[in-house]
Amino acid sequence: MPFISEDQPGVCLTPDAATQDYVFNHTMLRVKDPQRSLDFYSRVLGMRLLRKVDFPEAKFSLFFLAMTRGEQVPEDEGKRQSYTFGRQSVLELTHNWGTESDDSAYHNGNKDPRGFGHICFSVPDIEEACERFEALQVPFVKRLAK
């Protein structure tokens, strides 16, 4: 793979010092079936549910997941909240109540018009991971070229 220089049009090579303590915390995806989504991200990909927050007045729930690699996750609610929102690489699943029966509510990003791109998980062995996904009957669009 060729070296990629940061010196690209539009890239700031000297970020403002005020941004150096910023943390890219999370990416949010809307889901229609939280149980199915939580099963996939926890069982198939090994993420851990860090926090669930319900908003009954607005009729939605938020689920925050991350790869914890055996880290000790705080049990205390306040410390767990700080742990969740102070770390990098969190996946937020948003479930708007009632969308599970609305076929028009979400677009999967793989059909036109294209929109959402992807979230990325790096794995030690891509062939092994794909074999595991297939064994778990996980449907996926882009398969390895043979």
Side-chain angles (χ1 to χ4, degrees), residues 57-116:
E57 65 286 350
K59 298 182 180 170
F60 72 93
S61 298
L62 305 178
F63 302 85
F64 296 91
L65 300 103
M67 303 301 288
T68 59
R69 292 195 167 143
E71 291 175 15
Q72 189 66 25
V73 179
E75 291 297 324
D76 173 78
E77 187 167 339
K79 290 179 181 175
R80 194 173 186 112
Q81 180 175 338
S82 294
Y83 175 85
T84 301
F85 298 121
R87 64 176 290 132
Q88 295 183 24
S89 305
V90 173
L91 178 62
E92 173 190 339
L93 302 178
T94 297
H95 175 236
N96 292 306
W97 303 353
T99 58
E100 53 278 350
S101 58
D102 180 358
D103 288 340
S104 66
Y106 300 108
H107 189 280
N108 69 13
N110 289 316
K111 297 178 183 168
D112 289 328
R114 304 256 179 192
F116 173 76

Side-chain angles (χ1 to χ4, degrees), residues 16-73:
D16 190 307
T19 66
Q20 298 312 292
D21 289 331
Y22 289 11
V23 173
F24 174 64
N25 178 253
H26 70 271
T27 296
M28 183 275 275
L29 300 175
R30 289 181 180 88
V31 298
K32 291 173 74 165
D33 185 342
Q35 182 176 347
R36 183 175 175 197
S37 297
L38 290 168
D39 173 70
F40 175 77
Y41 288 106
S42 64
R43 182 177 59 84
V44 175
L45 293 179
M47 298 184 87
R48 182 162 175 194
L49 179 64
L50 301 180
R51 186 170 177 77
K52 178 187 180 212
V53 184
D54 293 317
F55 295 88
E57 65 286 350
K59 298 182 180 170
F60 72 93
S61 298
L62 305 178
F63 302 85
F64 296 91
L65 300 103
M67 303 301 288
T68 59
R69 292 195 167 143
E71 291 175 15
Q72 189 66 25
V73 179

